[in-house]
Amino acid sequence: MPAFASTLASIVQKAGIIAVLIIEREEDAVPLAKAMLAGGINVMELTLRTPAALGALRRIRAEVPEMIAGVGTILTVQQVGQVVSADAAFGVAPGTNPRVIQAAQQAGLSFAPGVATPTDIEIALENDCQLLKFFPAEPSGGLAYLKAVAAPYLHLGVKFIPLGGVNGKNLTSWLSDPLISALGGSWLAPKDLIARGDWAAIEAIAREATGSIESLRAN
C-alpha cells in the first residue's frame, strides 16, 4: 500500500505548491490559512518546530475545512500519534526513518519522508514511499543533483517535493521538471509578516506564487 494516498497525491500535484509554515501563536493559524486560500494556495504544512503547531492545526481543520492541512518535521513514532490525533491530512519528515514511516502507515496517515541521497531513496522505496520530500533542495545541489540521483529510480514512479532554497525566483525552473510533484513553499509567510498579522502581504506573496505556476502550466 503506498505511503501517500493517491487521491491526496493528485491534489498536491494539482496545487503545485505546499505552504510550509512555522506558527508561533495558535491565534495566527486561522487568519494565516485564510490568507493562503485567498492567494490561491489550498495545501499547507505546519512544522512541529513550535509548541503551537498542533493546536494551530486543530483550529485550521475546524475553522478552515477547505484548507488541506498537514504536519511536517515529524521525527518520532510518538509524534505520528499526536499528528493523527490532531487530524492532520498528511505528514512529512526531513529524513527517512523506517520506524516513523511504518508508524504513519499503520495509522493510515499519508506520509512523505525526506531524502537527499540514493540510499535515502532506496530506504523510502523499500517502505512503499513514492512521493518524497527532497531536503535541503538547493544546498544539496539543486535540480541538477536531484535529476542525477533520481535517474536510477524513475521507472518506479518516484516523485519529489523540494524544500530548502526554493523561492519565487526559481520556482518555475523546479516545477517545469517532471520529477517534481509540487514545491515546498517556506518563503510564502515570513515570520515578521506573521508576527505583525500582515495577512494582506502574505496573501500577495501567495498570489504571486500561484500566478507563476498558472503561467507556467498555461505555456
Side-chain angles (χ1 to χ4, degrees):
M1 177 179 176
F4 210 98
S6 58
T7 52
L8 184 55
S10 296
I11 291 171
V12 168
Q13 185 158 337
K14 183 178 179 180
I17 191 166
I18 300 172
V20 179
L21 310 170
I22 300 174
I23 295 182
E24 302 283 351
R25 302 173 302 201
E26 286 187 26
E27 57 266 30
D28 291 331
V30 169
L32 180 53
K34 289 181 176 178
M36 287 294 164
L37 280 175
I41 294 175
N42 69 337
V43 185
M44 64 193 302
E45 170 197 326
L46 302 178
T47 65
L48 287 180
R49 299 185 188 186
T50 71
L54 292 178
L57 172 68
R58 291 187 181 96
R59 290 195 182 195
I60 293 167
R61 296 290 275 169
E63 299 182 46
V64 196
E66 60 270 44
M67 174 61 74
I68 299 167
V71 173
T73 323
I74 299 175
L75 306 178
T76 67
V77 170
Q78 181 183 20
Q79 286 178 324
V80 171
Q82 294 170 345
V83 164
V84 171
S85 295
D87 196 28
F90 60 89
V92 182
T96 307
N97 183 329
R99 292 181 65 243
V100 173
I101 295 171
Q102 290 158 16
Q105 290 174 327
Q106 290 168 5
L109 177 69
S110 287
F111 191 79
V115 299
T117 68
T119 299
D120 294 338
I121 295 172
E122 290 188 16
I123 293 171
L125 288 170
E126 191 172 74
N127 286 275
D128 298 319
C129 299
Q130 283 82 37
L131 182 60
L132 312 176
K133 173 181 177 178
F134 174 43
F135 177 80
E138 286 291 341
S140 293
L143 183 57
Y145 169 81
L146 178 61
K147 290 169 75 171
V149 298
Y153 312 103
L154 296 184
H155 64 291
L156 299 176
V158 66
K159 292 279 188 178
F160 298 89
I161 301 171
L163 176 69
V166 180
N167 54 51
K169 295 179 180 178
N170 62 17
L171 70 84
T172 54
S173 62
W174 276 102
L175 202 55
S176 61
D177 194 281
L179 272 177
I180 307 304
S181 174
L183 308 173
S186 56
W187 81 94
L188 295 167
K191 285 185 178 181
D192 60 327
L193 295 184
I194 296 176
R196 294 203 305 268
D198 195 343
W199 313 123
I202 290 172
E203 178 186 336
I205 296 171
R207 192 176 300 281
E208 181 179 13
T210 54
S212 296
I213 293 171
E214 289 170 2
S215 296
L216 173 66
R217 290 174 169 175
N219 294 331

